[in-house]
Amino acid sequence: MWPSVFTVPPFNYESELHLETANAECNASGTYLSLPPKLKSHILERLSEEILKLKVYPTDNDLNDVAEALVKKHPCLSEQGSFNGCYGWKISLKYKMANLRSKLRGLGCPEVTINSLKNKNQDKRLAASNVKKPRRAEVNYCPQHPKGETTESLEKDRVALLSEIKKRNNEHIVKLKMEKTFSYRRQEILKGEPLIADFKSRWPALFTAREIDREFHRISTLPLLSTFCAALDQYSPRLMEIFRCKGGAAGRKIRNVMVEISKDDTIQTRRACVLKYLCIYLNEDHE
DNA sequence: GTTGTCGAGTTTTCGCGCTA
DNA sequence: TAGCGCGAAAACTCGACAAC
């Protein structure tokens, strides 16, 4: 997750010494540092390393955060003539990240190679078209294959999974193979954008409650069920208020089902009922 | 309609090592 | 020490799409 306040990383000894002296001079006499290219290059390099730990595609606001944090920590780096003192830094970071992505693309980093022109559909082979990047909470968006594995070897594991899933008491093996083939599955989804029915026939093992929970965890590093239930519990009182205010046929239906809670007000019943009311509220089949 | 962003490619700048 | 070539990094351009 992008931090609310970006922490500027420490630079190498030489650069820190340079900045320390320049900051002292800036505080004493208000003179800003005339930046040597080598120092600028090192600063951009270190900042881009830190940004890369969080995002391959930082937004304009993200880069603004970084630039602001930089001039806040090192006032001598403020730019005269810039409306906020760091606009030039933001632009340089933007270039730096774009060049870094080009470098990573050349090295085969999957998260950026999926957006290279040669990996786009022929009819939409345009740079800005359909750029795939992690959405909120997607930590392992497009991971690399495990060491020593290739697309071909993982395809063999996928085929093996089709028979493994049919065996009894074989959950452990299925779990291991699903774990192993995660990167392959992600790349298949992101590159191929398959239809759900096709994907389901290729990966039937994924469509079980346990494996969906695990897959969610692999992508977001969060446990799906407990995260969901915690949020459900948090919003339940407010949802109940909304349901009570609902009028019409849906309102009557909800009030009929509400009797269940009065009979057995445990946490499980309450959760089940809130989900049921939500279905009715949204005019969907709660059964 | 405007602004920002993308990948790819190009140009510019800079530093380094070598040589005379 | 100046001049040169080279490579890496930074900066820029392009033509398009996407988001607001």
Side-chain angles (χ1 to χ4, degrees):
Chain A
M1 192 176 283
W2 190 263
S4 54
V5 179
F6 185 85
T7 308
V8 176
F11 303 117
N12 63 20
Y13 178 69
E14 192 187 338
S15 304
E16 285 290 344
L17 203 62
H18 203 138
L19 290 171
E20 200 179 308
T21 314
N23 281 331
E25 204 173 309
C26 179
N27 287 335
S29 59
T31 50
Y32 295 104
L33 176 64
S34 170
L35 198 61
K38 202 177 169 184
L39 178 59
K40 183 178 184 182
S41 180
H42 176 69
I43 291 171
L44 290 174
E45 187 70 33
R46 282 292 292 123
L47 291 175
S48 66
E49 280 172 14
E50 290 302 304
I51 295 169
L52 199 64
K53 287 179 189 170
L54 302 162
K55 280 180 182 181
V56 183
Y57 292 95
T59 63
D60 217 44
N61 282 341
D62 295 337
L63 297 176
N64 214 30
D65 286 350
V66 179
E68 280 177 0
L70 178 69
V71 298
K72 194 176 176 190
K73 186 174 179 185
H74 300 291
C76 66
L77 295 175
S78 285
E79 297 155 333
Q80 287 171 293
S82 162
F83 75 97
N84 62 354
C86 62
Y87 182 74
W89 280 108
K90 189 184 92 173
I91 298 298
S92 293
L93 282 166
K94 215 167 167 177
Y95 289 141
K96 180 73 190 176
M97 291 309 293
N99 288 328
L100 187 58
R101 281 194 294 272
S102 292
K103 205 191 265 181
L104 292 172
R105 210 172 296 121
L107 293 168
C109 170
E111 203 166 330
V112 288
T113 49
I114 53 164
N115 291 320
S116 66
L117 290 185
K118 64 176 180 183
N119 280 324
K120 292 198 175 189
N121 291 336
Q122 279 191 330
D123 53 330
K124 275 217 159 186
R125 203 160 271 189
L126 297 159
S129 161
N130 194 21
V131 177
K132 293 159 184 168
K133 48 181 105 167
R135 282 169 176 76
R136 189 176 166 164
E138 286 182 334
V139 180
N140 295 310
Y141 176 68
C142 185
Q144 280 183 307
H145 291 330
K147 255 188 184 166
E149 298 296 340
T150 61
T151 303
E152 291 73 30
S153 70
L154 293 172
E155 169 62 14
K156 280 180 190 164
D157 279 309
R158 184 195 69 79
V159 174
L161 258 169
L162 296 174
S163 49
E164 295 291 350
I165 195 176
K166 291 174 187 162
K167 296 176 188 170
R168 281 185 188 176
N169 303 322
N170 201 26
E171 208 204 309
H172 184 61
I173 301 290
V174 171
K175 182 186 161 188
L176 289 178
K177 286 209 180 290
M178 286 299 284
E179 186 77 49
K180 191 178 167 188
T181 52
F182 174 59
S183 58
Y184 180 45
R185 208 159 43 250
R186 287 298 295 166
Q187 290 186 24
E188 188 174 315
I189 293 169
L190 296 168
K191 283 182 189 168
E193 296 175 347
L195 295 171
I196 291 175
D198 296 341
F199 191 71
K200 206 170 175 179
S201 64
R202 277 176 64 78
W203 299 95
L206 180 64
F207 293 83
T208 63
R210 273 189 190 160
E211 269 310 318
I212 287 171
D213 198 35
R214 286 183 191 130
E215 191 81 345
F216 187 87
H217 191 268
R218 286 190 278 266
I219 296 169
S220 65
T221 73
L222 290 171
L224 174 61
L225 204 57
S226 53
T227 306
F228 175 74
C229 287
L232 186 63
D233 293 343
Q234 186 191 342
Y235 295 114
S236 282
R238 179 80 188 104
L239 283 168
M240 291 293 278
E241 270 180 49
I242 293 168
F243 297 147
R244 279 195 192 96
C245 297
K246 180 76 175 170
R252 278 195 297 281
K253 213 169 176 182
I254 287 172
R255 279 184 282 281
N256 288 339
V257 185
M258 271 186 177
V259 179
E260 281 182 42
I261 290 188
S262 59
K263 286 179 189 166
D264 174 24
D265 193 7
T266 61
I267 188 80
Q268 281 80 9
T269 314
R270 184 166 281 267
R271 282 173 182 166
C273 287
V274 169
L275 291 175
K276 211 180 262 186
Y277 304 156
L278 192 60
C279 290
I280 299 168
Y281 188 87
L282 297 171
N283 204 20
E284 294 201 3
D285 181 12
H286 68 274
E287 294 300 338

